[in-house]
Amino acid sequence: QVRLVESGGGLVQAGGSLRLSCAASGRTGSPYAMGWFRQAPGKEPGGTREFVGDINWSGSESWYEDSVKGRFTISRDNIKDTVYLQMNILEPEETAFYYCAANADYGGHYQVGKFYEYNYWGQGTQVTVSS
């Protein structure tokens, strides 16, 4: 089991930045890839979450959804078992709950941008972007 806890959400003005963190605990000794997702308010709980991007175990590769390319950056610190989502030039329509998720199925063979299923999810952190 891998437990994930997101933090860093909050209120920011349009054009501003936030950095989300996702701290992992539990069985973190095995390689796992990480993804970030978001779900806008008003969406059905448990419904489809938008895939924002992902990063492989070593941090050497990452992938981003088109709308966030050049503005969002995913990184990780495996010593701290923490993954980050740096979000710049935020837009009001990006107001959402942001979730991190871990995929432990592929270990070091995980390929970014392949939309794999994720085994473990955090509880989410809310990001509100005001206009």
Side-chain angles (χ1 to χ4, degrees), residues 3-99:
R3 181 169 176 262
L4 303 173
V5 179
E6 301 95 336
S7 62
L11 174 65
V12 64
Q13 287 189 331
S17 299
L18 277 177
R19 188 177 81 156
L20 306 183
S21 299
C22 174
S25 60
R27 286 184 56 190
T28 58
S30 299
Y32 57 95
M34 294 294 296
W36 283 97
F37 295 77
R38 61 189 178 189
Q39 187 167 23
K43 297 289 186 181
E44 180 179 349
T48 302
R49 295 171 179 172
E50 180 186 11
F51 186 42
V52 174
D54 59 349
I55 188 167
N56 62 358
W57 164 244
S58 68
S60 62
E61 295 182 2
S62 57
W63 180 92
Y64 302 93
E65 190 269 331
D66 283 347
S67 69
V68 307
K69 280 182 183 176
R71 297 187 298 118
F72 287 17
T73 303
I74 301 173
S75 61
R76 66 188 300 162
D77 182 338
N78 288 342
I79 301 297
K80 296 181 179 179
D81 286 324
T82 301
V83 177
Y84 305 97
L85 176 64
Q86 176 67 44
M87 305 185 293
N88 298 327
I89 318 177
L90 281 160
E91 302 167 355
E93 51 268 32
E94 295 180 306
T95 293
F97 271 93
Y98 283 71
Y99 300 86

Side-chain angles (χ1 to χ4, degrees), residues 4 31-35 101-107 110 116-120:
L4 303 173
Y32 57 95
M34 294 294 296
N103 179 300
D105 292 339
Y106 298 91
Y110 180 96
Y116 296 121
E117 294 290 327
Y118 284 79
N119 314 98
Y120 308 103

